[in-house]
Amino acid sequence: MYRMVDLITKKRDGGALSAEEIRWFVENFTAGDVPDYQASALAMAIYFRGMSPRETADLTLAMAHSGDVLDLSHVAPVVVDKHSTGGVGDKTTLVVEPLVAACGLPVGKMSGRGLGYSGGTLDKMESISGFRVNLTTEEFMSQLKELGLALAGQSADLAPADGKLYSLRDVTGTVPSIPLIASSVMSKKIAAGAHAIVLDVKAGSGAFMPTVKEAAVLAQTMVKIGKSVGRKTVALISDMNQPLGFAVGNALEVREAIDTLKGGGPEDFREHCLHVASHLLVLGKQCKTLNAARSAGEAALADGRAFDKFRALVTAQGGDVSQVDDVELLPKASLMETVPAPKSGYLKEINAREVGFASVALGAGRLKKGDPIDPAVGIVVHHKVGDRVGKGEPLFTIHANSAERLAEARAQVLAAHRFSRDKVKRLPLFYKTIV
Ligand code: URA
């Protein structure tokens, strides 16, 4: 009915695609009749020309309906979900979802893989041997009913169009686009059926939206789409100027998430998770106030219920739970080097994007579609912005499986750390809430 080349040139020249044209593209791309190179060209045209709110909503709905759109009303009266727009060291889902489920509120989550320099929940969870993310619709629904927690990726059944476009955007420089991010995130959320959604919209050097202002536009776009399809949606704008927590890299992040689920973990990361979880618990009407929700979350971390839920999730999806019980069994890199601070001073920046790129170059992310992920590699920073560091103190540790890549990462991560002689203020965790 349409020719793909006409849609690409129309968008390239600044035109608006009709709902019909968008549906046609999504259907034919999903069916394999639009090749990757034409879909990538359209993504690049959208990146440069943008989309109107109407086009963005049409793209979101077409992608959501490229597979099943789940009706969870028979599973539970309220099912919630959270989604991050992508960050460095952002392992929030691994803690928040079991934590909220452990508080009695079912969580049905559809996640993504690494995207550009940001990590992805699916890649992280696959560091656990055997963990399956390609759940069928039936598996997703029945696990959600029995366990109150399921974590799936895009599949032939669920948001397949996003699965395909996502893997192209990852490697074609077309990630940081408001219509592409909004449609990618919200198509997954709509397809997976959650009634209430908390969006963790990142702003900063390691986010796809560098400023709070741009992040707010993305947040408003997604909240509006969510509400237009009857989902309660709230967005939290959070800081992504430095890695969240300390660990960056798949198995390293699983390890840090497990520490946090056991009541430890980095202070900023634990606080971030409790804040996101509190919003979910209030939005899902499990708790009346954010304070009550926070107490419920703290209790579930302290008494082991959140950790037990994570364990149960890993077991239900075929993962080797012995790696959860003993994190030493998670994949480990053959080379480890701790790099000392080259001078004394206050840390004024740990550029998250540069750390993210270093982690991808070590093998934790993809440079080409389908590249294998090395689950073991990554970086552990030892400080946060605002810390005073003495010359020679450990600054960060690289985990690598190649000496050459280790040397490159050492230089990159060292350059990402910037010092000041004067005292530096700590970065906030959150900037604002958009309802
Ligand atoms: N997360 C997604 O699912 N999609 C994006 O485009 C960015 C973050």
Side-chain angles (χ1 to χ4, degrees):
M1 179 177 175
Y2 295 105
R3 293 184 337 147
M4 189 60 198
V5 66
D6 297 334
L7 270 56
I8 297 168
T9 46
K10 187 174 189 186
K11 184 44 77 185
R12 182 200 66 195
D13 296 341
L17 300 176
S18 69
E20 273 295 291
E21 287 170 326
I22 290 172
R23 254 196 314 273
W24 179 90
F25 158 65
V26 170
E27 273 170 21
N28 285 277
F29 177 51
T30 308
D33 296 332
V34 169
D36 282 0
Y37 54 86
Q38 286 187 312
S40 302
L42 182 64
M44 190 58 88
I46 294 171
Y47 171 86
F48 280 116
R49 290 298 194 166
M51 278 185 143
S52 67
R54 194 271 305 152
E55 286 177 287
T56 306
D58 286 340
L59 181 59
T60 308
L61 293 180
M63 297 212 306
H65 287 275
S66 64
D68 297 336
V69 172
L70 305 187
D71 174 2
L72 301 180
S73 50
H74 304 296
V75 174
V78 185
V79 175
V80 296
D81 190 2
K82 66 97 25 195
H83 203 90
S84 154
T85 55
V88 177
D90 183 7
K91 69 243 18 136
T92 308
T93 291
L94 277 58
V95 173
V96 165
E97 308 269 3
L99 175 54
V100 169
C103 292
L105 186 60
V107 184
K109 163 90 177 138
M110 201 196 300
S111 285
R113 297 197 175 276
L115 201 52
Y117 48 81
S118 80
T121 298
L122 304 179
D123 295 331
K124 291 171 202 184
M125 290 304 289
E126 283 178 352
S127 320
I128 302 172
S129 308
F131 190 85
R132 279 182 55 228
V133 298
N134 60 340
L135 302 185
T136 62
T137 297
E138 290 69 37
E139 285 172 325
F140 185 84
M141 304 268 265
S142 68
Q143 187 178 315
L144 190 52
K145 200 164 192 168
E146 277 158 33
L147 187 63
L149 179 58
L151 197 158
Q154 309 98 325
S155 64
D157 289 353
L158 293 171
D162 180 57
K164 292 188 78 176
L165 195 56
Y166 196 93
S167 62
L168 296 182
R169 290 172 56 221
D170 180 27
V171 291
T172 54
T174 50
V175 176
S177 147
I178 288 180
L180 292 177
I181 297 176
S183 55
S184 165
V185 170
M186 293 311 291
S187 64
K188 287 194 282 290
K189 301 303 96 178
I190 294 169
H195 306 106
I197 301 157
V198 171
L199 301 166
D200 184 359
V201 181
K202 307 284 185 194
S205 64
F208 300 120
M209 297 294 117
T211 64
V212 172
K213 203 167 157 202
E214 289 160 293
V217 176
L218 172 60
Q220 274 148 2
T221 306
M222 294 193 290
V223 167
K224 205 163 156 207
I225 293 173
K227 286 184 176 167
S228 75
V229 291
R231 312 293 170 90
K232 289 207 260 174
T233 314
V234 166
L236 312 173
I237 312 255
S238 66
D239 182 76
M240 188 29 73
N241 283 295
Q242 63 182 340
L244 185 58
F246 294 121
V248 180
N250 298 294
L252 294 168
E253 292 190 43
V254 170
R255 203 178 166 121
E256 192 165 87
I258 290 172
D259 273 358
T260 309
L261 283 163
K262 286 182 162 171
E267 208 181 300
D268 66 322
F269 176 57
R270 174 186 157 89
E271 190 52 41
H272 181 91
C273 290
L274 280 167
H275 189 77
V276 175
S278 301
H279 275 274
L280 278 162
L281 289 165
V282 170
L283 201 65
K285 292 206 161 28
Q286 187 72 10
C287 297
K288 285 209 168 70
T289 64
L290 287 174
N291 280 344
R294 199 192 155 89
S295 305
E298 280 174 352
L301 285 177
D303 65 16
R305 274 176 294 137
F307 174 70
D308 289 345
K309 206 45 137 180
F310 181 77
R311 245 184 133 262
L313 171 75
V314 170
T315 307
Q317 295 190 208
D320 178 357
V321 86
S322 70
Q323 292 178 316
V324 175
D325 293 335
D326 178 2
V327 291
E328 293 301 322
L329 299 177
L330 284 165
K332 274 196 187 151
S334 54
L335 304 170
M336 243 175 85
E337 183 182 309
T338 296
V339 177
K343 53 178 150 185
S344 299
Y346 292 93
L347 273 175
K348 71 168 184 211
E349 187 177 3
I350 307 170
N351 189 290
R353 176 182 304 227
E354 292 167 23
V355 175
F357 274 130
S359 169
V360 170
L362 282 167
R366 300 175 183 82
L367 296 172
K368 291 194 306 299
K369 186 181 152 189
D371 272 354
I373 290 284
D374 184 340
V377 299
I379 295 137
V380 179
V381 298
H382 297 307
H383 295 279
K384 305 300 295 187
V385 167
D387 281 2
R388 161 132 191 114
V389 185
K391 184 175 174 183
E393 268 182 46
L395 194 60
F396 57 89
T397 302
I398 310 254
H399 298 246
N401 277 323
S402 132
E404 201 182 319
R405 289 187 181 193
L406 189 150
E408 277 166 19
R410 183 200 299 123
Q412 269 175 307
V413 180
L414 205 47
H417 284 76
R418 286 160 198 146
F419 292 80
S420 159
R421 269 196 276 177
D422 303 323
K423 230 175 160 182
V424 175
K425 264 183 40 193
R426 298 205 174 273
L427 290 168
L429 286 178
F430 290 91
Y431 294 102
K432 52 165 107 168
T433 302
I434 291 184
V435 291

